[in-house]
Amino acid sequence: MDLVLFDLDNTLIAGDSDFEWAQFLIGKGILDRDLYEAKNLEFYEQYKAGTLDIDVFLDFQLQPLSRFPRRQLDLWQREFLARHILPLVGDKARALVGGHLARGALCAIVTATNSFVTGPIIREFGIAHLIATIPAQENGRFTGKVRGLPSFREGKIVRVETWLEAMGLWWSSFERSWFYSDSLNDLPLLSRVSNPVAVDPDATLRAHAEGAGWPVLSLLG
């Protein structure tokens, strides 16, 4: 059996679900545009540049979840998925995931984006396992804080290994391991698997992939 890991944003979907979720709330008037839009853009540029302070960003991203009851958030989540995310899911991405699943691989999406936003998205791909940043809850209501280690940069390796250990598995349990990603932020996990694949990569990852002889794949179009 192979282990196949996928980044989500700008890899399996042609956009960033974290960024789009904040823009969705701004567009509906749920978040104040003057207060949130410029900051959302600033964090997104920091992420792409590899300079993002994940703790500062998560405080910004998760606090709005704590302001509304879960029932209302779930309604917005379904609207967000239908209107903003599904149009970003291409046939090539579905075929890539479907091929690995058909061959019996153990598949997971490994993303820095929080699990509230990404849970419904992974189900669209038929993937059972999600390793994401976890927004903490108390009595079914989000607190605005993070539960445990964010799934970001080296944290992705820790979270993957914890997940594998919980199933009695390790890297050596698999003949091959794959990770598909677009981002320089994922170089730690890409360097950990036996088969790293750069997907529509940013300039830094593309240069690294070409220098290391990693495959470069496009799922756009």
Side-chain angles (χ1 to χ4, degrees):
M1 180 171 62
D2 291 340
L3 173 66
V4 183
L5 309 173
F6 303 93
D7 180 43
L8 178 65
D9 299 315
N10 293 306
T11 301
L12 290 185
I13 64 173
D16 186 284
S17 58
D18 236 346
F19 176 80
E20 293 295 334
W21 171 249
Q23 292 300 112
F24 167 75
L25 295 179
I26 291 167
K28 290 184 72 68
I30 298 161
L31 298 181
D32 183 87
R33 184 175 298 275
D34 292 338
L35 292 175
Y36 279 88
E37 189 162 49
K39 200 66 177 175
N40 196 34
L41 288 165
E42 179 183 349
F43 281 127
Y44 189 40
E45 291 304 316
Q46 290 173 359
Y47 174 80
K48 290 190 291 184
T51 61
L52 180 67
D53 184 320
I54 190 63
D55 296 317
V56 174
F57 169 71
L58 289 173
D59 185 63
F60 165 83
Q61 187 73 358
L62 298 181
Q63 280 298 320
L65 296 180
S66 68
R67 301 177 193 171
F68 304 99
R70 185 59 184 266
R71 181 175 296 181
Q72 181 61 72
L73 289 168
D74 289 345
L75 290 173
W76 287 333
Q77 182 192 61
R78 288 194 287 273
E79 180 183 353
F80 171 69
L81 178 69
R83 296 188 178 184
H84 293 261
I85 297 300
L86 292 185
L88 303 178
V89 179
D91 292 339
K92 290 182 180 179
R94 290 188 185 276
L96 175 66
V97 172
H100 281 295
L101 289 171
R103 290 188 288 274
L106 176 61
C107 295
I109 285 179
V110 188
T111 176
T113 302
N114 72 77
S115 56
F116 172 75
V117 169
T118 55
I121 303 173
I122 75 153
R123 291 189 282 275
E124 283 294 319
F125 285 96
I127 295 176
H129 300 282
L130 171 64
I131 299 166
T133 297
I134 302 172
Q137 300 182 58
E138 290 182 3
N139 299 317
R141 190 176 183 115
F142 291 113
T143 67
K145 302 298 182 181
V146 178
R147 181 83 69 198
L149 181 70
S151 179
F152 182 64
R153 297 185 68 93
E154 290 81 3
K156 285 192 173 184
I157 298 176
V158 176
R159 293 287 308 281
V160 167
E161 291 180 346
T162 300
W163 168 67
L164 289 174
E165 286 179 317
M167 296 185 291
L169 300 171
W170 193 244
W171 298 105
S172 57
S173 304
F174 305 93
E175 183 176 349
R176 295 177 298 179
S177 56
W178 304 73
F179 183 41
Y180 294 86
S181 178
D182 72 294
S183 175
L184 64 92
N185 292 290
D186 283 334
L187 278 169
L189 184 53
L190 284 163
S191 299
R192 184 68 181 82
V193 300
S194 65
N195 294 76
V197 182
V199 179
D200 298 298
D202 60 41
T204 300
L205 178 55
R206 180 178 292 276
H208 187 99
E210 291 174 350
W214 295 352
V216 177
L217 174 69
S218 179
L219 297 178
L220 299 176

